[in-house]
Structures are given as structure tokens and as C-alpha cells.
């Protein structure tokens, strides 16, 4: 059972707007303290530490970072003394948490509120930021005067997430622009000012505010196990696979109530979900329906799902799971993306 064991109270009439763990980089040092950075509706940042004794949240520092809402706060996963923040004042700021009274830098490169930031957990010195100005910027954290790359995305960028296994893939929740998956390999490795759109999807009458990758991976089975695994079972039913019809399906949300898993059908009431593509492979983005509890929707022939590090050596990393959540339709969507 999920139970709260510690809390940190903010001021009255103050909302916590974001948080980030200092553990975003998988191979962090074992002696690195476990920290949380949070931002609030009064423009403040709160640095918290999880104490070893009793695993309790302990406030370390609180400081005024922005004049209006501080929409986002995030760690530099490679130097966790450094955090970044973005606010409704349109400023992107960097802070050294050992001396938080003055920002390390303050950038006005975004023209509207900054609402998404994430440090790349695979590639040191690479930072992604997003804004209501409908742009994603990539930065070299050693030079925050000018971004490495500026990408227009046709929607306010409320959330950014680097892929847990592929260092060059960036997922963006773009509000009315749906979600997009950017391939930034040339920008990262060859210093070219280009990122291609590997896949994107726009849902009708919906604002995509949240998006994240799953750490589950598809483990390749040995040939002998494949024959057993693909025997007479719901996993092997070819009628359950959806890649060929994904572009004609519509997400039907609930007008009231909490988010739920997506219902998908061929209903034409409000028009189909719209695939958009600036690159190859949008037809390989599959929305998964509620009947996935049988396993049929998640199954790929010759694979099983694994959540442990030992599986990575034989994992099929061309297949990814991601989730998005959207406003107005009250729906949490789960997607399978085949980038092979």
C-alpha cells in the first residue's frame, strides 16, 4: 500500500508547482545525498534533503527565484549542487544551492514563461528547456549566453523528458500541439543546428500537459523460449496488434472524473487523432487500449517486458513505452513506439 511517510509544508495559499529528484543520472555516486528541488506559485525554490535517519524530508534552503510563478525547477544531474528554474516572468535561471542568494546566470532567451527544463542524464553539459513561446532550446551548460539549438514546436512546451536509454531522443508535451519525439543526435554528436521529429501525435480537443518515458524495456527471448512464449495464448493473436490502424482511431475521453486509461475506437464523432510527422515513423506510434491488461497490446513477438538492468544487454531498445496526459478530455494515454 502506498502511504505518505514525510511531508514539507509550504506557506498558506501557496502551490507546489514542480519537483525534481537529484537521482536523474542512473550511475550516480552511492555517497551522493538524496535531494529534491521544488518550485512554487510565489516564485520560490525549496531545496529538500531526505535524511538517512528515518528517511524524512528536511528543508535545506528556500529562496526567492522569480517575480511570478516558478513553473519548473530541475537539477543538473551531473553537478547536483546546481539547479535551474523557469518562471512566468520569462526568465531561465541557474543557481548554486550552496550560495542561493544570487543566481549563477539569468537568461531572457525565451520570450514567454519558462515551464519545462531537464538535464540530459547521458550527456554531460546538455540541457533542454521549453516555454509558452512554443520553442524548445538546447543549451551547453558551460555557455548559457546562447542556446545550441532553437526548435519551434507549434505549442507551449509544458514538459520535456530525455529517453532513459537513448541519449539523443527528447520527448516534448506541447499542449495543443500534442506530443513530439525529437532526434537530436546530429545536434549532440556533430554540433549541427538540427533536430528532426521522429514522431508526433496531435489529439483533437485536447491539451497535452504531461509526457514521460517508461523505464520498462522489451527483452529479446532466446529462440527456444520464443516458440513456447508464442504458443496458444492471447499474446499471439494477430487481431490485437494496432500498428496498421493507429491513424484512424480516435481517443474518447470522459467529460467528468479523474484521468483513466485511453478508450480507443473507430468512432467519428469529433474526428480521428491526427498523426503529424516531421520525420519518419509516425505510423509506429500505437495507442494502447484498456484491454492491455491481457498483455496483448504490449506484446511484441519474441519479446517480454523487463524492468531490470540485467535485461539491457538483450533488450530491444527500438521499442519504447511512453505515457501522456491531457487537459479537457481527462485521459491518460499509453503509447508504444517502434523506432526500428
Amino acid at each position: 500500500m502506498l502511504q505518505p511517510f514525510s511531508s514539507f509544508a509550504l506557506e498558506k495559499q501557496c502551490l507546489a508547482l514542480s519537483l525534481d529528484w537529484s537521482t536523474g543520472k542512473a550511475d550516480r555516486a552511492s555517497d551522493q545525498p538524496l535531494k529534491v528541488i521544488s518550485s512554487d506559485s510565489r516564485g520560490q525554490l525549496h531545496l529538500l534533503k531526505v535524511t538517512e535517519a528515518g528517511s524524512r524530508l528536511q528543508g535545506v534552503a528556500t529562496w526567492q527565484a522569480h517575480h511570478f510563478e516558478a513553473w519548473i525547477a530541475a537539477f543538473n544531474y551531473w553537478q547536483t549542487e546546481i539547479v535551474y528554474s523557469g518562471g512566468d516572468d520569462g526568465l531561465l535561471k541557474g543557481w548554486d544551492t550552496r550560495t542561493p542568494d544570487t543566481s549563477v546566470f539569468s537568461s531572457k532567451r525565451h520570450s514567454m514563461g519558462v515551464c519545462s527544463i531537464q538535464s540530459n542524464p547521458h550527456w554531460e553539459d546538455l540541457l533542454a528547456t521549453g516555454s509558452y513561446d512554443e520553442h524548445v532550446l538546447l543549451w551547453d551548460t558551460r555557455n548559457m549566453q546562447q542556446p545550441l539549438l532553437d526548435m519551434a514546436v507549434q505549442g507551449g512546451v509544458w514538459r520535456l523528458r530525455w529517453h532513459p536509454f537513448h541519449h539523443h531522443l527528447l520527448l516534448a508535451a506541447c499542449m495543443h500541439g500534442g506530443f513530439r519525439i525529437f532526434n537530436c543526435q546530429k545536434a549532440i554528436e556533430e554540433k549541427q543546428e538540427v533536430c528532426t521529429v521522429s514522431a508526433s501525435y496531435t489529439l483533437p480537443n485536447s491539451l497535452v500537459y504531461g509526457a514521460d518515458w517508461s523505464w520498462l524495456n522489451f527483452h529479446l527471448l532466446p529462440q527456444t523460449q520464443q516458440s513456447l512464449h508464442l504458443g496458444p495464448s492471447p499474446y499471439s493473436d494477430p487481431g490485437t496488434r494496432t500498428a496498421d490502424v493507429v491513424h484512424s482511431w480516435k481517443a474518447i475521453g470522459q467529460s467528468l472524473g479523474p484521468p483513466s486509461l485511453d478508450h480507443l475506437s473507430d468512432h467519428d464523432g469529433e474526428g480521428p487523432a491526427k498523426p503529424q510527422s516531421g520525420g519518419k515513423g509516425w505510423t509506429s506510434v500505437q495507442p494502447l487500449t484498456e484491454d492491455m491488461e491481457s498483455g496483448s497490446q504490449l506484446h511484441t513477438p519474441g519479446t517480454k517486458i523487463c524492468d531490470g538492468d540485467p535485461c539491457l544487454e538483450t533488450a530491444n531498445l527500438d521499442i519504447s513505452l511512453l505515457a501522456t496526459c491531457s487537459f479537457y478530455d481527462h485521459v491518460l494515454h499509453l503509447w508504444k513506439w517502434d523506432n526500428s
Side-chain angles (χ1 to χ4, degrees):
M1 180 181 295
L2 188 65
Q3 295 181 336
F5 66 87
S6 184
S7 63
F8 179 83
L10 301 180
E11 301 171 9
K12 291 184 178 180
Q13 298 182 335
C14 183
L15 301 176
L17 298 179
S18 77
L19 65 83
D20 192 24
W21 292 91
S22 60
T23 54
K25 189 164 151 293
D27 58 344
R28 70 185 185 94
S30 58
D31 59 347
Q32 179 181 316
L34 183 58
K35 297 180 289 185
V36 174
I37 187 70
S38 178
S39 63
D40 71 26
S41 57
R42 293 189 176 180
Q44 300 175 108
L45 299 189
H46 307 273
L47 179 65
L48 312 174
K49 181 174 67 174
V50 179
T51 61
E52 294 183 5
S55 295
R56 298 294 176 181
L57 280 174
Q58 175 184 327
V60 177
T62 293
W63 67 96
Q64 192 71 38
H66 296 271
H67 296 301
F68 304 107
E69 290 91 343
W71 292 119
I72 187 71
F75 280 100
N76 180 325
Y77 297 141
W78 300 79
Q79 295 177 272
T80 57
E81 296 83 9
I82 303 298
V83 298
Y84 307 105
S85 66
D88 208 50
D89 51 12
L91 296 178
L92 168 66
K93 292 186 175 184
W95 308 87
D96 187 328
T97 58
R98 294 164 295 191
T99 55
D101 295 335
T102 305
S103 61
V104 176
F105 70 85
S106 181
S107 173
K108 297 182 179 180
R109 185 59 177 75
H110 283 292
S111 60
M112 299 179 70
V114 179
C115 44
S116 55
I117 302 171
Q118 196 182 34
S119 169
N120 189 308
H122 313 287
W123 200 274
E124 192 171 3
D125 305 318
L126 186 63
L127 184 74
T129 64
S131 166
Y132 288 135
D133 65 8
E134 304 189 355
H135 284 253
V136 172
L137 303 182
L138 295 186
W139 302 82
D140 184 330
T141 58
R142 296 167 295 184
N143 178 17
M144 296 299 294
Q145 298 298 315
Q146 187 72 15
L148 296 171
L149 187 65
D150 184 338
M151 298 178 286
V153 298
Q154 299 178 342
V157 187
W158 191 257
R159 193 62 70 231
L160 290 168
R161 285 290 182 266
W162 292 103
H163 196 285
F165 308 119
H166 296 291
H167 72 278
H168 60 283
L169 293 178
L170 179 64
L171 174 63
C174 302
M175 299 177 69
H176 66 268
F179 72 85
R180 298 189 176 205
I181 300 172
F182 292 99
N183 184 333
C184 303
Q185 189 162 7
K186 290 185 177 180
I188 296 172
E189 298 178 3
E190 303 174 20
K191 307 303 180 184
Q192 296 185 23
E193 295 185 13
V194 60
C195 280
T196 58
V197 180
S198 294
S200 63
Y201 221 88
T202 302
L203 295 166
N205 304 317
S206 165
L207 297 176
V208 180
Y209 274 91
D212 204 355
W213 302 100
S214 170
W215 281 72
L216 294 174
N217 55 75
F218 289 80
H219 174 57
L220 298 177
L221 292 172
Q223 192 66 35
T224 54
Q225 292 186 34
Q226 287 187 35
S227 59
L228 295 173
H229 191 71
L230 296 177
S233 75
Y235 291 106
S236 59
D237 179 6
T240 61
R241 294 195 290 270
T242 60
D244 294 335
V245 295
V246 60
H247 60 281
S248 66
W249 284 15
K250 172 188 172 293
I252 302 175
Q254 304 294 326
S255 58
L256 294 173
S260 63
L261 283 175
D262 186 17
H263 294 274
L264 294 162
S265 74
D266 292 316
H267 174 64
D268 293 327
E270 297 173 2
K274 300 176 182 178
Q276 311 266 341
S277 179
K280 65 179 181 178
W282 64 260
T283 54
S284 61
V285 178
Q286 302 178 25
L288 304 178
T289 65
E290 280 190 330
D291 68 353
M292 72 180 183
E293 64 226 20
S294 67
S296 61
Q297 297 268 339
L298 291 176
H299 175 65
T300 297
T303 67
K304 70 175 181 178
I305 295 175
C306 181
D307 61 357
D309 290 339
C311 286
L312 288 178
E313 291 183 2
T314 55
N316 182 358
L317 296 181
D318 287 331
I319 301 175
S320 299
L321 293 178
L322 59 137
T324 63
C325 58
S326 46
F327 194 59
Y328 293 137
D329 61 1
H330 300 272
V331 175
L332 172 68
H333 304 270
L334 183 62
W335 310 82
K336 184 172 74 171
W337 179 45
D338 188 343
N339 191 36
S340 59

